[in-house]
Amino acid sequence: KQEVTQIPAALSVPEGENLVLNCSFTDSAIYNLQWFRQDPGKGLTSLLLIQSSQREQTSGRLNASLDKSSGRSTLYIAASQPGDSATYLCAVDRGSTLGRLYFGRGTQLTVWP
Amino acid sequence: ETGVTQSPTHLIKTRGQQVTLRCSSQSGHNTVSWYQQALGQGPQFIFQYYREEENGRGNFPPRFSGLQFPNYSSELNVNALELDDSALYLCASSPSGSARFDEQFFGPGTRLTVL
């Protein structure tokens, strides 16, 4: 059974810091890994999708890396801003049912001015 | 905006009642998945539909059922509601049945409270 763990559970930093959020998964036979952002009480916004054959993806101040063999992914946020405050979730597509995502519990990020 | 909408936004029911939640996907998105997210947890997969057929199911009892319609809308039905069914219910759609390489687009969710 695929299990996804995210560390840390919560993070509080001043504006401008560079951040690293961690995600690990137990079964390395994944098709892709996706990072999402969730604002309180809201749905999920996709940030980055990394296919299993890729090592990283970048979008603006966000960079996500994937190491399938070790079962790890990191989300790097450069020059954090208060608007980045949200919960960040990673999810892997194991493929037992195509497109079924296994989620971690998320990292709750607070960026203060 | 993902183009995926859900209704209602919030819903309050009592234990034992039945509820229907609705999702409208983007045109051309043949696959829809439903997830349950309890407070402080990550979303848990309920089931997936592809072209109106159930295409996989998570560890949820049969009182959770679904339908998908040709117009890219879908429903999640829950019978005999229990207090633990209180959660945010999310639907997600993707463009094809071979969703392994497809980004999934989530709706804003329906917050269900069972009293």
Side-chain angles (χ1 to χ4, degrees):
Chain A
K1 181 190 171 187
Q2 179 73 270
E3 294 193 5
V4 180
T5 303
Q6 292 188 245
I7 294 173
L11 190 59
S12 180
V13 299
E15 182 175 9
E17 283 208 358
N18 300 322
L19 309 171
V20 176
L21 308 182
N22 296 292
C23 173
S24 61
F25 46 94
T26 54
D27 187 341
S28 62
I30 64 169
Y31 290 118
N32 61 49
L33 182 144
Q34 209 165 341
W35 281 94
F36 294 90
R37 168 186 173 137
Q38 186 173 34
D39 292 289
K42 304 295 185 183
L44 307 182
T45 300
S46 178
L47 298 174
L48 292 164
L49 171 72
I50 311 176
Q51 296 178 7
S52 61
S53 59
Q54 298 175 324
R55 298 284 294 185
E56 66 179 326
Q57 282 285 350
T58 298
S59 176
R61 294 183 293 109
L62 305 179
N63 175 275
S65 66
L66 173 64
D67 183 343
K68 264 185 56 174
S69 61
S70 67
R72 295 175 189 273
S73 176
T74 59
L75 178 66
Y76 177 83
I77 304 176
S80 59
Q81 303 171 357
D84 295 331
S85 297
T87 296
Y88 290 79
L89 294 156
C90 77
V92 297
D93 178 354
R94 168 61 181 84
S96 55
T97 295
L98 292 179
R100 171 179 181 170
L101 296 179
Y102 293 80
F103 284 85
R105 291 189 177 188
T107 293
Q108 185 175 358
L109 173 65
T110 303
V111 182
W112 40 276
Chain B
E1 291 293 328
T2 64
V4 181
T5 59
Q6 291 186 244
S7 63
T9 305
H10 296 89
L11 200 52
I12 299 175
K13 291 286 190 178
T14 57
R15 199 168 44 178
Q17 285 188 310
Q18 178 266 340
V19 68
T20 297
L21 310 182
R22 294 180 172 84
C23 173
S24 179
S25 305
Q26 292 185 41
S27 178
H29 282 201
N30 294 311
T31 301
V32 65
S33 301
W34 286 89
Y35 291 82
Q36 180 195 65
Q37 186 178 23
L39 201 61
Q41 305 291 319
Q44 298 290 317
F45 176 79
I46 302 174
F47 45 55
Q48 181 186 95
Y49 279 78
Y50 172 64
R51 292 187 173 174
E52 303 163 49
E53 299 278 338
E54 188 178 291
N55 189 41
R57 189 177 186 91
N59 189 26
F60 281 81
R63 60 189 183 85
F64 285 78
S65 63
L67 287 171
Q68 186 185 27
F69 303 101
N71 65 351
Y72 305 108
S73 67
S74 58
E75 292 180 354
L76 165 64
N77 299 288
V78 187
N79 294 322
L81 283 167
E82 301 177 0
L83 297 179
D84 285 349
D85 296 333
S86 295
L88 181 69
Y89 288 84
L90 299 162
C91 75
S93 71
S94 60
S96 72
S98 179
R100 67 182 67 182
F101 298 121
D102 286 336
E103 188 174 357
Q104 299 214 24
F105 299 88
F106 280 79
T110 293
R111 171 72 62 188
L112 172 64
T113 301
V114 182
L115 303 176

